[in-house]
Amino acid sequence: TSSGVFLLQMGWGDLGAFGEPSKETPNLDQMAAEGMLFLDFYTANPLCSPSRAALLTGRLPVRNGFYTTNGHARNAYTPQDIVGGIPDSELLLPELLKKAGYVNKIIGKWHLGHRPQFHPLKHGFDEWFGSPNCHFGPYDNRERPNIPLYRDWDMIGRYYEDFKIDLKTGESNLTQLYLQEALDFISKQQASQQPFFLYWAIDATHAPVYASKQFLGTSQRGLYGDAVREIDDSIGKILSRLQQLGISENTFVFFTSDNGAALISAPTQGGSNGPFLCGKQTTFEGGMREPAIAWWPGHIPAGGVSHQLGSVMDLFSTSLSLAGLQPPSDRQIDGIDLLPVILQGKLIDRPIFYYRGNELMAVRAGLYKAHYWTWSNSWEEHSKGIDFCPGQSVSGVTTHTQEEHTYLPLLFHLGRDPGEKYPLSFASEEYQRAVERISALVQQHKATLVPGQPQLNVCDQAVMNWSPPGCEKLGKCLKTPESDPKKCSWPH
């Protein structure tokens, strides 16, 4: 069985199947109608690179090193001046799938470190077409180099130079390039009868948002909606190609997101998190609950809806299970195998841990969610107009200082109150029962937790994308400045 994972930055409320009013995602809605919708599916972090590291290792970012200890509970990711990346000691899904003869390709954003030792082809991927970092700038090739795009080992150009994104109109044909790469790869693997793993991680919905000419101005939702429509169209074409080639019944496909929609760029360039509180950067539901669809014709009963608590880390264990492989036994794996859920409708009891940097912020068990810390962002950031919860202030819940609730957690019943607006009374019996159960899970989790070496602590201008492999052939090498390592500063 081959497998494909679509990983984008979209909110829970961005799909028609999840109730988005403009109904502009017909292909994803069709995918949901033919497959299974997960309504309680989570990312492992409210930010891009740690959640991608979690998906590919099956492990929480605090274990795989994708966090910082520079300041308590800070979100951190991999901009191009970061020194760290995915450690060699981590085993990634494509490395393991190779043992079962899989050919593995990543299309789009890698974001697990851009220095040579972190290259995806050194961590199990056979092919890569895409970028090591995100396309959001500003880049000027003096202070910060433009981000390279790679084909396999070598860069083939840079964003904004050879791969244009028009910041005035939002026009770019990158999604079309990424689509064509996917279609060609699938056709090639089918022709050679090779099982494959395709990780399609495109970034069109990350601000600055972009879409190609034929999609610009076609959505009721503005430029963000245009980008979503193009992604939806692309996914429709990828699923159609699997069907045309007669391999859809041998291909497990999963669509999800790496974090909630970014509300800081809303409403013009931000998505929707449906009924949930806040967005990207926070450990409220809007930052971490994701749209998720599993599709495998002939195996997954059509029109299924699951309330299984799921996580992007489960894609690691589930993909290994599909390939007939066991997860590594020498390390803690946080993902679970979802096949019994998907194929037999089972429900597996498991908690969801909401981390922000080095701090366990909240835990969900069943329908209850306990917050041990609350923090949306600092007053200083907030006063500059940086708001991750626009129009959504909940007194004592969305806090601008880090508030500790370790001794009396804030508790919500997400069935009755998905928007986390009404904390349960501390005095109620319901509160005491639920907190007792969750506290036991937290104790168990913390007792066995061995944090990885933090990878997101040190920044150095000399490690940026000045002279990536392949730059000489293109005349695109830039002069590397003197090394000047510093502690990274993470405000959020």
Side-chain angles (χ1 to χ4, degrees):
T1 303
S2 296
S3 58
V5 172
F6 301 134
L7 188 72
L8 319 172
Q9 177 172 317
M10 272 160 80
W12 195 92
D14 278 332
L15 274 59
F18 285 83
E20 202 288 313
S22 64
K23 291 271 191 276
E24 291 178 347
T25 52
N27 295 290
L28 283 162
D29 299 349
Q30 177 75 17
M31 182 184 179
E34 292 171 4
M36 178 174 272
L37 209 54
F38 282 84
L39 298 177
D40 297 77
F41 197 86
Y42 290 88
T43 181
N45 186 272
L47 218 60
C48 34
S49 28
S51 31
R52 288 159 193 263
L55 185 154
L56 290 173
T57 60
R59 285 153 56 79
L60 284 162
V62 72
R63 294 193 215 274
N64 64 36
F66 267 69
Y67 71 103
T68 180
T69 52
N70 293 356
H72 175 251
R74 289 302 197 276
N75 280 335
Y77 67 108
T78 48
Q80 55 167 330
D81 55 351
I82 204 91
V83 167
I86 195 71
D88 279 342
S89 54
E90 290 297 322
L91 284 170
L92 272 60
L93 177 58
E95 289 175 73
L96 297 164
L97 289 174
K98 264 187 178 322
K99 295 176 182 163
Y102 276 65
V103 177
N104 307 304
K105 178 158 188 158
I106 170 174
I107 297 173
K109 185 166 81 167
W110 164 241
H111 228 198
L112 265 59
H114 59 279
R115 296 168 68 208
Q117 66 267 39
F118 306 129
H119 193 292
L121 270 58
K122 285 198 173 158
H123 293 271
F125 283 102
D126 300 294
E127 297 182 19
W128 181 23
F129 180 79
S131 64
N133 304 83
C134 204
H135 65 281
F136 79 93
Y139 308 124
D140 57 9
N141 281 349
R142 289 186 301 279
E143 295 291 313
R144 293 185 164 273
N146 276 323
I147 302 295
L149 257 85
Y150 280 80
R151 177 171 299 288
D152 301 334
W153 289 108
D154 288 345
M155 73 175 277
I156 50 171
R158 292 183 188 267
Y159 273 135
Y160 297 101
E161 297 168 30
D162 316 277
F163 296 92
K164 301 268 193 290
I165 299 171
D166 186 320
L167 291 177
K168 284 197 190 71
T169 63
E171 186 184 339
S172 173
N173 69 343
L174 273 160
T175 301
Q176 291 304 309
L177 296 179
Y178 290 149
L179 167 62
Q180 200 50 53
E181 282 291 317
L183 298 175
D184 292 349
F185 175 71
I186 291 166
S187 298
K188 189 172 85 186
Q189 299 320 311
Q190 191 271 339
S192 63
Q193 301 288 296
Q194 285 284 138
F196 63 84
F197 168 58
L198 171 62
Y199 176 43
W200 201 66
I202 62 167
D203 60 3
T205 48
H206 193 299
V209 173
Y210 63 80
S212 57
K213 195 165 192 150
Q214 71 261 41
F215 290 93
L216 286 180
T218 63
S219 164
Q220 295 182 34
R221 305 180 64 198
L223 183 55
Y224 181 86
D226 297 341
V228 169
R229 288 201 61 206
E230 182 167 18
I231 288 166
D232 177 76
D233 181 77
S234 301
I235 289 172
K237 290 190 165 86
I238 292 170
L239 298 183
S240 292
R241 175 65 55 97
L242 293 170
Q243 286 167 320
Q244 288 155 8
L245 294 172
I247 55 172
S248 59
E249 295 202 357
N250 298 337
T251 311
F252 175 83
V253 184
F254 204 93
F255 166 88
T256 190
S257 175
D258 60 351
N259 45 245
L263 300 182
I264 184 174
S265 46
T268 52
Q269 299 214 355
S272 162
N273 295 313
F276 302 121
L277 187 61
C278 301
K280 177 178 176 173
Q281 298 271 10
T282 77
T283 48
F284 299 110
E285 291 297 285
M288 291 192 57
R289 200 188 299 205
E290 306 307 333
I293 304 167
W295 184 86
W296 188 15
H299 299 269
I300 297 176
V305 174
S306 177
H307 286 285
Q308 171 66 43
L309 299 195
S311 160
V312 293
M313 297 178 287
D314 301 343
L315 298 174
F316 175 88
S317 305
T318 307
S319 299
L320 291 177
S321 177
L322 283 161
L325 299 168
Q326 291 295 318
S329 56
D330 63 343
R331 61 199 62 209
Q332 180 70 45
I333 300 294
D334 296 292
I336 62 170
D337 177 5
L338 290 176
L339 286 187
V341 175
I342 292 167
L343 302 179
Q344 295 144 34
K346 290 198 169 154
L347 280 178
I348 299 164
D349 188 25
R350 63 92 71 90
I352 294 291
F353 296 111
Y354 302 69
Y355 268 89
R356 184 165 170 156
N358 55 354
E359 185 60 76
L360 180 62
M361 302 288 283
V363 178
R364 178 174 174 184
L367 287 165
Y368 292 101
K369 180 178 177 185
H371 289 264
Y372 291 93
W373 286 85
T374 51
W375 185 40
S376 41
N377 63 340
S378 67
W379 280 116
E380 186 195 357
E381 294 270 288
H382 192 252
S383 64
K384 290 180 191 161
I386 296 169
D387 192 351
F388 306 135
C389 314
Q392 284 189 311
S393 170
V394 181
S395 177
V397 178
T398 53
T399 55
H400 292 295
T401 51
Q402 294 187 29
E403 300 290 335
E404 187 172 2
H405 309 277
T406 310
Y407 301 106
L408 264 186
L410 282 184
L411 186 73
F412 295 94
H413 185 289
L414 294 176
R416 302 193 297 263
D417 174 26
E420 295 170 285
K421 290 182 174 60
Y422 309 104
L424 271 68
S425 158
F426 297 135
S428 67
E429 200 185 315
E430 182 185 10
Y431 176 91
Q432 274 149 5
R433 268 200 324 268
V435 165
E436 214 169 285
R437 183 181 167 213
I438 294 177
S439 298
L441 292 167
V442 169
Q443 271 173 316
Q444 202 184 334
H445 171 69
K446 289 196 164 170
T448 59
L449 180 70
V450 182
Q453 191 66 38
Q455 296 294 312
L456 309 181
N457 278 353
V458 183
C459 289
D460 185 353
Q461 58 186 18
V463 305
M464 291 202 277
N465 294 289
W466 302 104
S467 294
C471 67
E472 315 79 15
K473 287 178 244 172
L474 304 172
K476 293 259 174 201
C477 304
L478 300 167
K479 188 174 180 300
T480 305
E482 288 292 300
S483 176
D484 181 22
K486 290 186 169 75
K487 266 177 86 163
C488 306
S489 149
W490 302 106
H492 306 318

